[in-house]
Amino acid sequence: MAKIEPLLIDYHCHLDLYPNYEEQFRACNENQIATLAVTTIPRAWPRNKELAGCSPMVRVGVGLHPQLAAEHAQELGLFEKYLRETRYVAEVGLDAGPAYYSTYGLQKEVFEDILRLCSKAGGKILSVHAVRATRDVLKMVEAHLTGTTSRVVLHWFTGSASEAREAAELGCYFSINQSMLEKPTAARLLAAMPRERLLTETDGPFTKTANRPAVPSDVERTVDSLAGVLNSSVGETRSLLYSNLIALEMPVGQTGASDA
Ligand code: MN
């Protein structure tokens, strides 16, 4: 069967958190949206994997969300076990916002363990959350993943333009959502991110489109907005995003050129 190319990319969406989650998994396939289904605790992995089995457009990450890391740190063993079954690690990271600052020390221990496991395993793709923690995330990524074959996608980047440049130097990708593009600083921030490192995301159902939880197909609007910020056409932006996805997911060591 010929491989179908995705029309859109939602590289960070909590498909399992919608009331009609089965339908959401199916819709990604029907609408040809390459989706990274992120999960928040390791225990969510088996069911997500099963749901993605019928939707080739959906990749599933094994995750341990920083906001839940303190409560679920004992699931790290399970995380390690499921890590063997997937290339994708999502959602992980650090959250130093007021509501989670009290667990920040423990979050760092958990994230460090996760980075160590990814470094050892190699070839992983991580979707990373950083709230008021960009500096620490970059430091830890540099310490643990430099020179490895694992790659980081910074989801909903809220750092400065200079931090974005630093992240790019470390090889990071950026998944851009609608709310990032609606900020007055969007153009300045985007200018600090290499175009070949950009992807799109919804972070649904935690974000809204038209006053309802965003779904992967809403990423179409984000591509339109992104095209505006990049001063590029929608068609060019779609092909840019698609080639970025291919480059990110290509096993390290291979190039896009076909063999002579
Ligand atoms: Mn998320």
Side-chain angles (χ1 to χ4, degrees):
M1 201 165 60
K3 210 171 167 192
I4 303 163
E5 291 186 2
L7 299 174
L8 291 165
I9 297 155
D10 184 355
Y11 221 69
H12 187 108
C13 187
H14 298 260
L15 290 184
D16 64 349
L17 299 184
Y18 293 86
N20 61 343
Y21 59 91
E22 286 170 318
E23 197 182 314
Q24 294 298 337
F25 272 83
R26 272 198 303 273
C28 291
N29 226 40
E30 281 158 17
N31 301 325
Q32 294 177 50
I33 305 169
T35 304
L36 175 58
V38 304
T39 58
T40 54
I41 53 172
R43 259 188 294 159
W45 164 256
R47 177 70 174 133
N48 272 266
K49 184 190 174 188
E50 185 189 336
L51 287 161
C54 316
S55 291
M57 285 279 159
V58 182
R59 305 107 169 95
V60 179
V62 57
L64 188 40
H65 196 290
Q67 296 173 354
L68 300 171
E71 229 178 298
H72 293 266
Q74 76 283 0
E75 284 179 54
L76 262 171
L78 211 49
F79 177 94
E80 186 172 6
K81 177 179 167 212
Y82 296 143
L83 185 66
R84 290 180 214 126
E85 299 175 26
T86 180
R87 279 185 85 181
Y88 302 95
V89 176
E91 176 171 1
V92 296
L94 296 176
D95 193 317
Y100 301 97
Y101 195 72
S102 64
T103 66
Y104 195 60
L106 190 51
Q107 288 179 43
K108 278 170 115 173
E109 286 175 32
V110 168
F111 188 47
E112 188 146 47
D113 282 345
I114 288 172
L115 291 173
R116 254 192 223 113
L117 291 168
C118 292
S119 160
K120 207 170 105 194
K124 303 298 179 188
I125 296 174
L126 296 77
S127 177
V128 177
H129 169 118
V131 168
R132 298 198 190 179
T134 304
R135 177 122 318 277
D136 283 342
V137 161
L138 295 182
K139 259 200 298 199
M140 290 167 74
V141 165
E142 182 175 21
H144 294 282
L145 298 184
T146 303
T148 73
T149 52
S150 290
R151 289 163 172 172
V152 167
V153 182
L154 296 168
H155 129 74
W156 200 331
F157 186 82
T158 53
S160 65
S162 76
E163 285 167 336
R165 274 187 287 272
E166 247 175 78
E169 271 167 42
L170 291 176
C172 297
Y173 283 69
F174 303 89
S175 53
I176 308 294
N177 64 30
Q178 193 62 33
S179 88
M180 291 172 71
L181 294 171
E182 282 167 3
K183 286 206 159 174
T185 50
R188 225 186 121 243
L189 188 61
L190 263 293
M193 300 172 176
R195 289 187 179 207
E196 68 276 10
R197 298 284 181 73
L198 301 178
L199 296 166
T200 44
E201 64 162 51
T202 59
D203 200 17
F206 294 112
T207 53
K208 291 212 150 127
T209 300
N211 284 318
R212 43 129 186 108
V215 293
S217 56
D218 293 321
V219 88
E220 183 163 14
R221 205 175 127 224
T222 306
V223 178
D224 294 352
S225 309
L226 181 62
V229 174
L230 296 179
N231 205 5
S232 180
S233 74
V234 171
E236 279 165 355
T237 306
R238 280 185 182 225
S239 21
L240 170 76
L241 294 166
Y242 180 59
S243 46
N244 293 350
L245 174 73
I246 300 293
L248 169 66
E249 297 197 335
M250 188 180 296
V252 174
Q254 282 186 27
T255 65
S258 58
D259 296 330

